[in-house]
Amino acid sequence: MAIWIIPIAIVFIIIGAIGWKAVRSWDTVVLNETDSGVSDAIEDHPMSLNPIIWVIGVAALFILFVIFFYWASSI
């Protein structure tokens, strides 16, 4: 089981970096008449900048790696 300490630490670091970047990009915006609209990048591709999607993707890749590792070691 100790074999997975470093890979899970790497996954935690990646997920932490995604969360850190998401929190740093938040703006404290008060909604009023002078607000600017949604930026073009978010308007064109709203899912590509969603940190939840990125975290799910990283976790899914790690789980697939673990499954493949155990499958390959059983051959």
Side-chain angles (χ1 to χ4, degrees):
M1 199 53 115
I3 190 172
W4 296 110
I5 291 176
I6 293 176
I8 199 75
I10 292 170
V11 169
F12 282 158
I13 290 170
I14 292 171
I15 290 174
I18 291 169
W20 179 261
K21 180 153 176 47
V23 169
R24 291 199 35 120
S25 67
W26 286 348
D27 292 328
T28 55
V29 177
V30 177
L31 298 176
N32 58 28
E33 294 83 23
T34 61
D35 283 341
S36 61
V38 177
S39 69
D40 290 335
I42 295 174
E43 190 173 322
D44 293 339
H45 306 286
M47 291 299 188
S48 65
L49 298 176
N50 190 344
I52 300 296
I53 302 296
W54 285 103
V55 168
I56 291 170
V58 169
L61 285 175
F62 179 71
I63 291 169
L64 289 173
F65 174 73
V66 170
I67 291 170
F68 178 76
F69 179 81
Y70 280 115
W71 173 78
S73 66
S74 68
I75 294 178

